[in-house]
Amino acid sequence: MDIKHVLRVLDGEQLIPAEPSAAYVVGSRARGWSNNKSDWDIYVITGEEWFSETGAVMPMALNPPRVVSESFYHGETRWEVTYWLASQVHQMLRKVSWEEFRRGLPAGQVLTPREELFLGRLLDAAPLTGHEWLQEAREELERSAFRAFLLSRSLGLADDAVEDVLGQMESGELQSAVLSARAALKHAVDALLESHGEYGSLIPKWRPQRFQAAKPSVISFEDYWSLETMRTYDPADPTRWIEEVLALCQEISMGVEVS
Amino acid sequence: MSGATVVPGVPRRTWGIRIRRTQDGLTLGIADQAILLDGVAQEVYTALDGRTTVEQIADAIAAKHGIERGEVLGDVVDLLEQLGQVGVVDWVE
């Protein structure tokens, strides 16, 4: 990534405040998974709120209850810059403390999807400025129960889907059981990747890349991809593929430590 | 097999059991009950893939802990019977 080019574009649009705590690229551009049509997503961390006539205000469950986002096109590529207060980041990190985790609240009741995405992106962000702030935020995230929250949610959703599979198989609804097994596979693999610090289950299109980055020992990418693409599925005997999925769900549940 | 005990096939973890691994071991959730498996019990349960026989599981446990198969086989069978009774182990014919 050409950081100077990114900063030049942002400076040209006058979208970087004078002294940000940090500014960093997130998403596919930061991870090297982008293509020519990929957006540039930038997070800027500030001490004061960003005000402009062009910014879109997004409501948040934080104080203040909003973040502002600016978007523009540079050539044919869309750029989006979102401004977060450093104090909002600390609020999000407090939401995923171990004390909150032990209260038993599910991740969905603790963080909004946008907050979850923000925290998950801290680990693989590409800093433009404010390396020290970013490093401290990453360390705070690692000490938090963020991973445990997401892992518990994914394992719970996988269990629920498995329960559906078993009920549907018992009543002979094999087509529905196949769909439920697909859901169970998705959630179980999300849990596996989250156990390796590969967050982002809210954006499933990157699951293959996240899987290859995590390199889990429970199952190889080739075997996972075979299941995901249902290569062994036999329409005359769906039970075989379903049971392969159920077995993997168990292996993952036994292989990932929740806390 | 240990004594007159006859196992009904190859053991497998029952589908649909909610399994969680923590620092203490494996917690198995069955309805509103929970069972904690640790140590050798955890090793045995983890090995129940529906393909590995009871004898093979006992061999692996014995080899890992440096003891004779005969010393562990009966305990493995007893454990599987107990786990079967609480509904967390099935048998593949």
Side-chain angles (χ1 to χ4, degrees), chain A:
Chain A
M1 182 188 306
D2 184 348
I3 289 175
K4 284 182 181 168
H5 167 70
V6 177
L7 284 170
R8 256 197 315 273
V9 172
L10 294 172
D11 281 341
E13 300 287 334
Q14 297 185 312
L15 290 177
I16 298 289
E19 290 182 358
S21 301
Y24 49 91
V25 181
V26 296
S28 62
R29 293 280 182 184
R31 302 220 57 179
W33 299 340
S34 58
N35 55 55
N36 289 337
K37 296 186 185 302
S38 297
D39 292 352
W40 281 91
D41 291 309
I42 318 288
Y43 285 167
V44 179
I45 312 300
T46 62
E48 294 180 5
E49 279 195 88
W50 176 266
F51 291 105
S52 82
E53 291 179 358
T54 53
V57 178
M58 295 177 286
M60 300 292 300
L62 297 168
N63 180 25
R66 61 191 160 265
V67 292
V68 175
S69 164
E70 303 272 5
S71 59
F72 64 94
Y73 275 84
H74 183 74
E76 293 185 354
T77 308
R78 185 176 183 276
W79 291 57
E80 183 169 332
V81 185
T82 307
Y83 300 86
W84 301 79
L85 288 170
S87 60
Q88 291 176 316
V89 178
H90 293 301
Q91 288 170 46
M92 287 187 274
L93 287 165
R94 278 200 298 273
K95 287 185 179 188
V96 290
S97 68
W98 283 103
E99 288 73 22
E100 292 297 314
F101 180 72
R102 281 190 277 271
R103 287 175 60 198
L105 292 173
Q109 283 183 28
V110 173
L111 293 174
T112 65
R114 197 180 296 277
E115 291 170 350
E116 180 182 329
L117 208 54
F118 177 93
L119 291 180
R121 285 173 158 177
L122 279 173
L123 294 184
D124 43 45
L128 301 168
T129 182
H131 295 61
E132 197 173 312
W133 183 94
L134 185 58
Q135 185 55 34
E136 284 174 10
R138 284 171 173 164
E139 288 169 7
E140 203 172 332
L141 183 72
E142 294 287 6
R143 287 193 298 271
S144 77
F146 180 65
R147 172 183 164 280
F149 268 111
L150 300 195
L151 195 47
S152 297
R153 177 184 62 187
S154 295
L155 288 174
L157 290 171
D159 285 338
D160 291 345
V162 165
E163 202 171 293
D164 286 342
V165 171
L166 297 173
Q168 288 155 344
M169 286 174 75
E170 196 175 303
S171 60
E173 301 164 18
L174 289 181
Q175 291 165 330
S176 294
V178 168
L179 295 182
S180 296
R182 286 179 64 92
L185 176 64
K186 167 197 181 303
H187 294 305
V189 170
D190 279 339
L192 179 62
L193 301 186
E194 285 157 357
S195 77
H196 286 74
E198 279 292 335
Y199 306 121
S201 65
L202 298 175
I203 306 180
K205 67 181 176 182
W206 299 118
R207 195 177 297 125
Q209 287 84 352
R210 289 166 54 224
F211 198 111
Q212 287 168 312
K215 298 184 177 65
S217 58
V218 171
I219 181 173
S220 69
F221 177 77
E222 289 70 27
D223 289 344
Y224 154 65
W225 199 240
S226 172
L227 265 186
E228 183 75 271
T229 55
M230 303 179 74
R231 247 174 266 168
T232 56
Y233 178 76
D234 179 358
D237 180 18
T239 305
R240 189 178 146 210
W241 179 83
I242 291 172
E243 290 193 345
E244 283 181 49
V245 171
L246 296 180
L248 177 61
C249 290
Q250 283 191 334
E251 292 290 336
I252 289 174
S253 292
M254 290 189 302
V256 300
E257 191 170 308
V258 177
S259 60

Side-chain angles (χ1 to χ4, degrees), chain B residues 62-77:
Chain B
K64 181 176 177 186
H65 295 278
I67 46 182
E68 293 294 317
R69 177 213 226 191
E71 292 180 49
V72 295
L73 186 55
D75 291 340
V76 170
V77 171

